[in-house]
Amino acid sequence: MHSPEHERLNAIARDSWYLKGIAPRTIEYSGKIFARYIRGGQLLELGPAEGTMTEFLVPLVDHVTLVDGAETFCQLLSKRFPQATVVNSLFENFRPNTKFDHIVLGHVLEHVQNPVEILELAYQWLTSNGRVFAAVPNSRSLHRQAAVSMGLLSAEDELNDADIHHGHRRVYNPELLRQNFIEAGFNLEVFGGYWLKPVSNRQIEASWNPEMLDAFMQLGERYPDIAGEIYVIARQKTDAALRNQ
């Protein structure tokens, strides 16, 4: 019998928007950023959904394990990536029998009930020299700041219609993302952003060409605090890493 959380995730997966409009472009760009730091070893991706980012990760490592709470996504992932180990599980219930050199959480932490708990689990699953990669939407994004000025949102971190549809429980700002990692015991190696987003997805999809999208994805790396998406790359603290060797 499925838990309420399983049912919630399956409902979201049945009407997924991750492949609609410009959404795949943002996922692909974060995958390209993470790929700069990933070579060889064992990789765990939590919440891969349809596998848009997975496509960039599979060629870079020796083996990929994919864990998702939605059965619909897991069935799709098994067909798309037959070389990967696919596990249908809530992250809190996942019990790996190996440690991982890379753990990727692409747009995961805004969905879960307790993000620090998930990060603490990821900490335990890392090899001593491993890294965790996480990307989330940024409440300080230019388009959210503009929405507050226009009265469309009451606050930058208010859940909008798209957030609710995706099952988001929060919208991060840079300070909260860093704080969650620090509370989970990590040393932050990189903080960054991408996708300088001035207006809504609907407005962008109506008039922007691919060259404009690429330019504004790149501009977000220059201005991470106000980019549409932010990310962290983190390691275990040095003393903990030494104990695990």
Side-chain angles (χ1 to χ4, degrees):
M1 184 175 179
H2 285 164
S3 69
E5 184 65 7
H6 263 121
E7 295 297 342
R8 189 182 82 92
L9 294 172
N10 281 323
I12 293 168
R14 283 192 293 269
D15 188 20
S16 170
W17 289 359
Y18 296 128
L19 297 182
K20 293 183 178 182
I22 61 173
R25 298 293 295 273
T26 64
I27 299 170
E28 290 168 4
Y29 199 87
S30 61
K32 290 177 181 178
I33 290 175
F34 293 165
R36 299 169 188 169
Y37 301 86
I38 295 173
R39 291 295 180 276
Q42 297 283 325
L43 183 144
L44 169 65
E45 186 179 4
L46 298 175
E50 291 95 344
T52 300
M53 186 184 297
T54 315
E55 196 74 48
F56 290 90
L57 304 175
V58 165
L60 302 175
V61 297
D62 301 319
H63 186 73
V64 171
T65 299
L66 306 173
V67 178
D68 203 288
E71 291 178 356
T72 303
F73 286 150
C74 287
Q75 292 167 2
L76 177 63
L77 292 164
S78 295
K79 293 177 182 177
R80 186 173 180 184
F81 305 105
Q83 71 275 51
T85 300
V86 179
V87 181
N88 180 210
S89 173
L90 299 180
F91 307 141
E92 297 89 341
N93 298 337
F94 178 54
R95 297 294 182 267
N97 57 13
T98 187
K99 293 203 171 188
F100 299 94
D101 304 289
H102 325 279
I103 300 178
V104 176
L105 302 94
H107 293 273
V108 164
L109 295 176
E110 67 270 28
H111 288 265
V112 299
Q113 291 178 321
N114 189 334
V116 174
E117 178 186 353
I118 301 304
L119 289 173
E120 288 173 342
L121 289 171
Y123 194 103
Q124 297 171 25
W125 300 336
L126 271 184
T127 59
S128 58
N129 293 313
R131 291 186 176 105
V132 167
F133 305 78
V136 297
N138 181 17
S139 69
R140 300 257 173 78
S141 174
L142 282 178
H143 81 289
R144 282 186 175 267
Q145 294 191 51
V148 172
S149 296
M150 296 167 64
L152 301 176
L153 292 175
S154 61
E156 293 168 3
D157 61 355
E158 179 185 350
L159 296 177
N160 60 28
D161 291 342
D163 291 317
I164 293 168
H165 180 90
H166 287 307
H168 295 175
R169 288 185 160 105
R170 65 193 60 80
V171 187
Y172 275 89
N173 59 42
E175 294 80 15
L176 179 60
L177 183 59
R178 293 188 188 99
Q179 179 185 338
N180 279 184
F181 270 85
I182 292 168
E183 287 178 11
F186 283 96
N187 275 340
L188 274 61
E189 187 175 41
V190 180
F191 169 82
Y194 57 95
W195 187 207
L196 193 65
K197 181 181 176 183
V199 292
S200 71
N201 282 11
R202 185 178 302 175
Q203 291 166 305
I204 291 165
E205 290 161 2
S207 59
W208 286 34
N209 60 36
E211 290 75 21
M212 294 172 70
L213 279 175
D214 288 342
F216 278 81
M217 290 285 174
Q218 295 173 32
L219 281 172
E221 295 203 55
R222 293 190 184 183
Y223 308 104
D225 283 349
I226 57 170
E229 314 281 339
I230 49 178
Y231 68 90
V232 159
I233 302 172
R235 292 182 183 269
Q236 291 179 340
K237 289 186 176 178
T238 304
D239 56 347
L242 291 172
R243 287 198 300 271
N244 289 342
Q245 288 182 340

